[in-house]
Amino acid sequence: MISGIFENCIGSEQAQPTLQYWAELGYREIQRGQLSAEAAYALYGHASNLTSIRLQNGNSADHGLVRLMVWEQPRNAGLQKSHPFVIGSRWFASLVQDIYAVADAFNDDKVNGGDWIVTEPIRGIEFIGQPGTNFYQRFTGVREFFVIGSETRQAFFQRYNYTRPGYGVIDPTSPLGVSEGTHSSIVTADHDTVAFYTDVFGLVPANNTRKRSGYQNSATRQILMLEEGNEFLLSSFSSPKTDVGVLQVYTPLYSTPNKLEFAQPGALGASLFTYQVENIQTFRDCVSRSNARSVTPILSNEFNERSFGLVAPDEMTWVIIEHEA
């Protein structure tokens, strides 16, 4: 029934400058569609005329897409440059060919007026790898950095001394050598609700489910801009069909602002993830029997795909899309 995490949806007020940004990351437009304010309200819960543009990186069509949702009247300004660990925060990650080339592009733009928060690329071992001990026993892991802007929240990583075939494919035409989105992350207030993603979404938990991490990991501290004592729980899930399109759920173990109202469809910036299934009626029946709320009827979205919306028990909004075999 399950296909996987599908799209990272970005609310926008105007398409062209945002399209230029995504083109530098290797994305191209593959589809465009519209909804009236009435139809957008029925599916997304926000009454505004909507034009959406679906973007694809290289040939990666089954996960990691980006959808620009251009709202005639946005709900609000979105998460803007809120800290990564506010409740309701979303971001996604991509593999890169040269981490410093991508970081340099953001930093150069920032120096010349670009409105970015950019962390320094740093080596990290959160799931896979080992420290380097000498010239011959070298570091195995990733180097990673985080970017926050008014319309995007992204992590970029480069692998060192290991490979994961298929988990991030960098198209040769990508100007900055950036892959499609490999994994998507959400920040929630109650980690006990993660069972919804296995019991209802059918995702497969990784071995690191409910892992405790945070400030004590120096790389994680710097990448995610944590302060002393900031710790979190982290659970990771993948599709039964593929290990690409991973969902990561973070829950801070400290007080942090709740910004859920700025991470809903209609808001600017990162405001929605979609999930693709093969039998949408069966899936909706399952969701309707769960403790999800605000489950909409099955409707046609702006791309004429059968879809429905829901709010998960962790208060995160999702839109489900039927995959046509």
Side-chain angles (χ1 to χ4, degrees):
M1 180 192 296
I2 309 303
S3 186
I5 305 298
F6 189 49
E7 281 175 303
N8 306 284
C9 299
I10 311 294
S12 180
E13 286 186 283
Q14 49 184 336
Q16 196 54 42
T18 311
L19 285 172
Q20 292 173 347
Y21 167 80
W22 291 106
E24 289 299 306
L25 300 185
Y27 289 83
R28 69 185 190 281
E29 179 178 340
I30 60 168
Q31 204 169 2
R32 188 176 288 231
Q34 295 181 325
L35 283 181
S36 68
E38 181 181 9
Y41 181 76
L43 180 58
Y44 299 113
H46 180 61
S48 168
N49 293 331
L50 169 66
T51 298
S52 286
I53 305 165
R54 178 169 282 160
L55 307 177
Q56 179 177 311
N57 185 303
N59 295 318
S60 298
D62 61 348
H63 69 277
L65 302 181
V66 168
R67 189 195 310 188
L68 299 184
M69 304 181 76
V70 184
W71 298 95
E72 187 174 283
Q73 295 179 315
R75 180 191 296 264
N76 56 47
L79 292 167
Q80 292 286 309
K81 294 197 292 182
S82 298
H83 190 276
F85 267 73
V86 298
I87 302 302
S89 179
R90 304 171 182 264
W91 68 84
F92 72 97
S94 296
L95 177 70
V96 301
Q97 184 172 296
D98 181 344
I99 196 80
Y100 288 106
V102 182
D104 284 350
F106 281 103
N107 282 313
D108 290 346
D109 192 67
K110 182 178 178 180
V111 167
N112 290 284
D115 192 16
W116 306 104
I117 295 174
V118 185
T119 66
E120 179 184 354
I122 189 160
R123 294 196 302 182
I125 303 170
E126 188 70 68
F127 303 126
I128 296 174
Q130 61 184 20
T133 56
N134 55 46
F135 184 81
Y136 306 100
Q137 302 296 321
R138 290 180 286 279
F139 163 74
T140 301
V142 301
R143 185 172 267 114
E144 186 173 3
F145 77 100
F146 201 97
V147 169
I148 296 177
S150 61
E151 289 195 358
T152 192
R153 302 166 76 83
Q154 292 175 258
F156 299 91
F157 69 97
Q158 181 178 350
R159 294 193 189 103
Y160 291 84
N161 300 314
Y162 81 100
T163 60
R164 291 184 68 181
Y167 195 96
V169 178
I170 300 172
D171 190 88
T173 64
S174 173
L176 277 171
V178 177
S179 80
E180 81 285 18
T182 55
H183 48 283
S184 301
S185 301
I186 57 177
V187 179
T188 68
D190 181 0
H191 212 72
D192 289 340
T193 59
V194 298
F196 178 80
Y197 295 112
T198 55
D199 298 346
V200 179
F201 272 39
L203 294 174
V204 178
N207 293 332
N208 54 18
T209 296
R210 210 175 177 88
K211 175 181 179 179
R212 185 165 181 151
S213 186
Y215 183 85
Q216 72 276 19
N217 184 321
S218 61
T220 301
R221 177 173 69 243
Q222 294 181 63
I223 293 165
L224 294 176
M225 298 172 257
L226 301 175
E227 297 181 359
E228 185 172 359
N230 290 172
E231 294 188 334
F232 56 79
L233 294 176
L234 169 60
S235 293
S236 296
F237 306 91
S238 61
S239 164
K241 291 191 172 183
T242 174
D243 66 349
V244 188
V246 167
L247 173 67
Q248 296 182 332
V249 182
Y250 292 82
T251 302
L253 297 175
Y254 59 95
S255 179
T256 186
N258 188 316
K259 298 278 189 176
L260 273 164
E261 65 177 297
F262 300 103
Q264 307 295 324
L268 300 182
S271 50
L272 178 68
F273 293 150
T274 74
Y275 189 65
Q276 192 181 53
V277 300
E278 293 175 358
N279 187 326
I280 197 166
Q281 185 62 62
T282 300
F283 190 81
R284 187 186 182 281
D285 292 344
C286 182
V287 170
S288 297
R289 293 190 297 267
S290 75
N291 55 350
R293 61 179 181 83
S294 301
V295 182
T296 76
I298 296 174
L299 304 164
S300 290
N301 71 4
E302 57 270 41
F303 302 122
N304 294 316
E305 298 161 328
R306 283 170 28 106
S307 306
F308 73 92
L310 66 101
V311 177
D314 58 14
E315 300 299 320
M316 302 301 287
T317 300
W318 290 83
V319 165
I320 309 303
I321 298 173
E322 184 168 56
H323 172 69
E324 294 185 3

